[in-house]
Amino acid sequence: MKSISVLIKPASSICNLRCSYCFYADVSSMREVRSFGKMKKENMEKMIANIYADLEEGDTIKFAFQGGEPTMIGLAYFENFVTYVKKQEKKVTVEYIIQTNGTLINDRWCKFLKENDFLVGLSIDSNEKFHDRNRVDYKQRGTYRRVMQTKKNFDTYEIPYNVLCVLTEQIAKKPYESFRFLLDQKIDYVQFIPCMDDFDTIKRGLYGVQPQTFAKFYKKIFRLWKTEYEAGHYISIKLFDDISNLFNYNFVGACGLTGKCQIQYVIEADGSVYPCDFYVTDEFKMGNIFERTLREIFNESSIPKRFICLRKELPKKCAQCPFLAACGGGCKRMENHMYVDADNDFCGYQEVLKDTVPYFTKKG
């Protein structure tokens, strides 16, 4: 039995927000075609059929949806998607995940997500001050209150969700405010995603987090988290979960965590398949899911191997790192934000591991 995951962008880079740091706006701007529009129903059915062609009885398929903003394609797309999946004859376990900014979610959406067991990633950037500074609509209006209403609706409908917070340089300098927000809003599942500078940038951007700030943030968050944990209140912080699982059970819970990329199968609205959400560019297009199965795309393209082997030489600081075997240099797209700095004398991730690994391995 095997498990396959695909990340689908049914509405391509279309989004109703204009977040100041949007990494996918940067990625899509590098393509000849910036947006592939919305996936048609007949193409959606071709995609599902070709994905199922590689599955066997007892396998697991995880369908994840992202954008842009995936809800921009409309609820009917997802209703048709689930209906068509149910028509497939092979008995496989199906899991659904959707990442959303939450501004378009209403009661109909909530009922659908609940009835079909969707796990939701809900984007909230810490408190109202930080959120409304960057996560604005096309009229430059803050979206915090709309998103928090969606969170309230998820709680009412008992829809499982994780909060995703983009860790900008500004938010990372205020760890106590971020943790206080989690406690006040009773958020027990959160992922802080390091904000990245644009591709091939020479000058640092305003929002991209730096390794020193990344380390200070997580070291402070760890102390606050540990106090809550030892008082009987467990908060799932994705990076801490990943570190504990890796060092205790050798389980890799995040792509790039050990410096070894895996093919992620990111599917754009036109059916194009890419190896990673950070590299959805013309250079890394592997094939088209409307025309071939994932196995055929993987076997017939030279890009997967080239992508996996694509990496700069590790910084000199890595050679003396006690965590090198477990880290392997980490995610290549995050290298300027959570790993070794430009002066080659500081690694943010190493500093976090120094604090967390002894604690997690002690408690198991």
Side-chain angles (χ1 to χ4, degrees):
M1 293 185 292
K2 61 180 177 296
S3 177
I4 295 178
S5 299
V6 293
L7 178 61
I8 303 166
K9 294 179 177 288
S12 191
S13 60
I14 299 171
C15 189
N16 61 323
L17 300 192
R18 299 295 182 269
C19 300
S20 55
Y21 50 65
C22 181
F23 90 90
Y24 203 63
D26 172 49
V27 170
S28 61
S29 70
M30 300 175 65
R31 298 192 303 238
E32 185 176 341
V33 178
R34 184 162 189 161
S35 175
F36 296 107
K38 298 179 180 181
M39 188 183 293
K40 297 178 181 178
K41 182 175 181 288
E42 58 268 28
N43 285 335
M44 176 263 287
E45 293 177 353
K46 291 178 184 177
M47 174 181 66
I48 293 172
N50 280 341
I51 290 173
Y52 264 77
D54 291 333
L55 297 175
E56 299 173 355
E57 299 280 336
D59 287 347
T60 296
I61 175 67
K62 297 179 182 179
F63 292 111
F65 301 91
Q66 200 182 63
E69 172 52 38
T71 60
M72 289 288 287
I73 199 169
L75 181 57
Y77 172 89
F78 291 92
E79 292 173 332
N80 289 330
F81 193 104
V82 170
T83 298
Y84 196 72
V85 165
K86 290 178 179 178
K87 292 179 179 179
Q88 304 307 303
E89 295 181 358
K90 292 177 183 175
K91 293 181 174 60
V92 302
T93 299
V94 180
E95 299 177 11
Y96 292 111
I97 304 166
I98 186 170
Q99 171 61 36
T100 177
N101 61 40
T103 59
L104 301 177
I105 303 294
N106 55 23
D107 282 340
R108 284 189 61 216
W109 271 102
C110 286
K111 291 175 182 177
F112 170 82
L113 296 172
K114 179 64 176 178
E115 289 171 1
N116 293 283
D117 297 318
F118 270 69
L119 172 63
V120 182
L122 181 62
S123 295
I124 309 176
D125 277 2
S126 190
N127 56 35
E128 185 170 9
K129 175 183 67 175
F130 286 121
H131 185 101
D132 281 351
R133 180 183 298 174
N134 297 317
R135 301 190 65 81
V136 297
D137 62 18
Y138 67 98
K139 291 185 178 181
Q140 296 299 301
R141 299 174 300 191
T143 58
Y144 177 83
R145 295 189 179 183
R146 279 178 274 175
V147 177
M148 293 306 291
Q149 179 59 52
T150 293
K151 176 191 174 299
K152 181 178 179 181
N153 292 342
F154 285 169
D155 289 332
T156 300
Y157 279 89
E158 297 182 333
I159 295 170
Y161 64 92
N162 300 332
V163 167
L164 277 72
C165 171
V166 176
L167 188 63
T168 63
E169 179 74 358
Q170 295 74 30
I171 291 176
K173 290 178 178 178
K174 301 289 184 179
Y176 180 79
E177 289 187 31
S178 292
F179 199 79
R180 184 75 255 167
F181 174 77
L182 299 180
L183 296 179
D184 290 345
Q185 297 299 328
K186 297 180 173 57
I187 295 169
D188 287 336
Y189 298 88
V190 64
Q191 179 177 0
F192 296 102
I193 305 174
C195 185
M196 302 175 294
D197 291 326
D198 290 348
F199 262 116
D200 301 323
T201 186
I202 298 176
K203 183 180 179 181
R204 273 203 170 274
L206 177 63
Y207 306 104
V209 66
Q210 299 187 42
Q212 290 85 352
T213 320
F214 172 88
K216 290 179 181 177
F217 173 83
Y218 265 108
K219 286 162 74 73
K220 178 61 176 178
I221 286 288
F222 179 63
R223 290 194 291 271
L224 297 169
W225 173 90
K226 188 165 60 172
T227 298
E228 288 295 312
Y229 174 73
E230 293 177 351
H233 177 207
Y234 179 73
I235 299 176
S236 173
I237 296 179
K238 183 67 165 59
L239 183 61
F240 296 161
D241 291 346
D242 288 339
I243 292 171
S244 178
N245 286 329
L246 179 62
F247 283 87
N248 282 313
Y249 312 110
N250 199 33
F251 175 77
V252 181
C255 175
L257 191 68
T258 59
K260 299 175 183 177
C261 287
Q262 297 177 340
I263 301 302
Q264 299 300 305
Y265 294 121
V266 181
I267 303 174
E268 255 286 4
D270 71 332
S272 297
V273 182
Y274 305 84
C276 173
D277 194 31
F278 296 149
Y279 293 86
V280 186
T281 61
D282 295 336
E283 178 185 1
F284 291 104
K285 178 181 174 180
M286 299 189 296
N288 193 294
I289 192 63
F290 302 156
E291 302 167 357
R292 289 179 173 82
T293 71
L294 293 177
R295 181 179 289 127
E296 290 171 340
I297 289 172
F298 182 86
N299 290 334
E300 296 173 10
S301 174
S302 62
I303 292 175
K305 183 177 179 181
R306 179 162 64 88
F307 174 77
I308 290 173
C309 296
L310 178 69
R311 188 171 195 93
K312 297 179 182 178
E313 183 179 351
L314 291 181
K316 294 179 180 178
K317 185 173 178 60
C318 293
Q320 289 79 39
C321 179
F323 306 108
L324 178 58
C327 169
C331 172
K332 57 195 173 194
R333 187 65 179 93
M334 295 287 184
E335 60 186 359
N336 296 325
H337 303 289
M338 58 182 284
Y339 297 103
V340 180
D341 67 0
D343 296 327
N344 198 38
D345 62 5
F346 181 88
C347 175
Y349 188 49
Q350 183 189 80
E351 291 300 308
V352 175
L353 292 180
K354 286 179 181 177
D355 274 15
T356 57
V357 169
Y359 183 80
F360 288 133
T361 54
K362 180 179 179 181
K363 76 180 183 67

